[in-house]
Amino acid sequence: MDKKNSTLGEFIIENQASFQYSSGELSKLINALRLAAKVVNHEVNKAGLIDILGAAGDTNIQGEDQQKLDVLANEKFIQTLKNREIVCGIASEEEDSFISINSSDERHQNKYVVLIDPLDGSSNIDVNVSVGTIFSIYRRITPVGTPVTLEDFLQPGKNQVAAGYIIYGTSTMLVYTTGHGVNGFTLNPAIGTFYLSHPDMQFPETGKIYSVNEGNYIHFPQGVKDYIKYCQKEEGDRPYTSRYIGSLVSDFHRNMIKGGIYMYPKSSMASNGKLRLLYECNPMAFLAEQANGKASDGHQRILDIQPTELHERVPFFCGSRKMVEKAEEFMK
């Protein structure tokens, strides 16, 4: 395993050979995300000082109020990726449609598309609770040299070449995978460098934490209600502890370190659940599987789902393998 004191830049270069397509583009792409993350981190950390809080007075494609910081994070990631000329297309949770990007020679030579949730959990920003960015990278499937199409973005999660998240918390961390395990890097704010702090991250096989918005309990399917009751029952190593931050990145990050299950089921209010398959569930599912965990919609593997639209929602159960399998049993 690489030395813990290696920087993210060094780690990317050292591990470039393990990428399936080792042209250096994927490395440059992760570097661009690292740069944008530092800019957004700076804005998130000063959010309490300046008027960057509150709604921007606009709603996104999902009809949710856009927070000012959402808009800023969205702009920073898109701008950074565009400027570096390393992607041929971007889809963001904050944009109605995907963005096609020309390279300066107008020949559409770039091979990767990025899907991004620029600021996950942003309703927590003004109460000083951790928020995050989630990203997902695919190799395009339409011919290089042509503009990207919707087809390039509507790929099943198993096609991802890289995915990760940035968590803006007590410390800022970038956690990512390229299909060879999961590694976490912590930002040293004094010098602006990410260092490898969490090599080879793994979900414990089982855990004692369940994360679900129990305020929606009455609206959940019976199988989910039964599983929650199972978690609360005094028996064996139970009852489990309930921990729900309401910021997917934070809940996932804690459960990966401590062992647990995160659930956002469908309900009578949201027939497909609330989380977006392309921007949230697929990247988190890829990370979970690379970290010895499991991710499902309650019945099937998340990474096998064929998306049909850009902002599609799915139920989501993710975390320690045995806990997800137990939840699926109750869902049958």
Side-chain angles (χ1 to χ4, degrees):
M1 178 40 71
D2 299 283
K3 291 191 187 79
K4 260 198 168 190
N5 59 5
S6 71
T7 67
L8 176 55
E10 289 165 348
F11 184 88
I12 289 169
I13 291 162
E14 279 165 32
N15 291 275
Q16 199 165 290
S18 65
F19 299 151
Q20 194 181 346
Y21 311 99
S22 187
S23 60
E25 281 171 283
L26 192 53
S27 301
K28 286 182 193 155
L29 184 41
I30 290 165
N31 269 318
L33 290 163
R34 170 184 70 166
L35 177 66
K38 285 200 270 192
V39 175
V40 172
N41 175 64
H42 180 67
E43 299 297 339
V44 167
N45 283 333
K46 68 180 187 187
L49 295 173
I50 55 174
D51 184 29
I52 208 158
L53 298 178
D58 216 341
T59 54
N60 65 8
I61 181 73
Q62 277 85 28
E64 299 161 336
D65 288 339
Q66 277 186 310
Q67 303 292 321
K68 288 179 188 172
L69 213 48
D70 289 358
V71 178
L72 183 133
N74 190 45
E75 283 168 3
K76 291 296 175 200
F77 276 99
I78 290 173
Q79 187 188 330
T80 307
L81 291 167
K82 271 185 174 174
N83 292 350
R84 290 287 179 103
E85 293 199 348
I86 38 182
V87 294
C88 50
I90 303 169
S92 164
E93 190 181 290
E94 298 295 330
E95 302 284 335
D96 297 8
S97 187
F98 64 87
I99 301 164
S100 179
I101 297 171
N102 296 335
S103 36
S104 50
D105 57 11
E106 297 296 318
R107 284 174 23 232
H108 299 279
Q109 289 305 306
N110 297 326
K111 301 178 187 73
Y112 294 100
V113 296
V114 173
L115 294 97
I116 195 153
D117 179 354
L119 209 61
D120 177 75
S122 56
S123 59
N124 282 325
I125 191 76
D126 51 353
V127 289
N128 215 357
V129 168
S130 299
V131 291
T133 297
I134 306 172
F135 63 88
S136 170
I137 302 170
Y138 294 83
R139 205 170 154 85
R140 65 179 302 170
I141 47 182
T142 53
V144 172
T146 62
V148 287
T149 70
L150 187 59
E151 187 190 354
D152 292 307
F153 297 94
L154 298 184
Q155 299 188 55
K158 62 188 175 192
N159 291 2
Q160 289 172 102
V161 292
Y165 59 82
I166 299 112
I167 183 166
Y168 310 103
T170 45
S171 58
T172 296
M173 277 187 73
L174 189 152
V175 176
Y176 84 105
T177 181
T178 55
H180 300 275
V182 176
N183 291 283
F185 299 80
T186 300
L187 180 66
N188 177 342
I191 52 176
T193 305
F194 282 97
Y195 286 96
L196 179 63
S197 53
H198 294 64
D200 194 24
M201 297 176 81
Q202 299 263 315
F203 271 97
E205 203 170 29
T206 189
K208 298 196 71 169
I209 296 171
Y210 70 101
S211 311
V212 63
N213 184 350
E214 289 182 75
N216 292 332
Y217 180 87
I218 195 164
H219 303 287
F220 290 153
Q222 192 56 46
V224 177
K225 289 179 178 172
D226 292 344
Y227 178 69
I228 291 172
K229 284 281 169 250
Y230 166 86
C231 291
Q232 295 169 341
K233 196 170 182 184
E234 208 154 336
E235 187 178 87
D237 63 343
R238 288 169 285 131
Y240 296 151
T241 303
S242 172
R243 289 277 182 274
Y244 187 72
I245 299 167
S247 178
L248 170 62
V249 168
S250 306
D251 280 309
F252 179 96
H253 186 73
R254 180 203 53 240
N255 289 355
M256 179 159 59
I257 291 169
K258 297 194 167 182
I261 182 172
Y262 175 91
M263 300 180 278
Y264 210 113
K266 64 181 182 183
S267 69
S268 55
M269 300 184 303
S271 57
N272 295 318
K274 185 185 171 207
L275 299 183
R276 266 62 84 171
L277 174 60
L278 294 178
Y279 310 106
E280 296 166 311
C281 304
N282 272 340
M284 289 313 207
F286 187 26
L287 285 159
E289 288 194 8
Q290 285 296 315
N292 195 37
K294 185 169 182 176
S296 114
D297 67 355
H299 304 283
Q300 64 170 324
R301 181 184 181 220
I302 289 287
L303 297 183
D304 287 337
I305 299 172
Q306 174 59 55
T308 55
E309 53 184 270
L310 218 43
H311 297 285
E312 186 171 337
R313 299 170 192 257
V314 291
F316 192 55
F317 299 82
C318 177
S320 294
R321 178 176 299 278
K322 285 187 172 172
M323 297 182 84
V324 174
E325 283 168 357
K326 178 59 82 174
E328 284 177 324
E329 277 175 37
F330 280 95
M331 238 74 74
K332 279 185 180 139

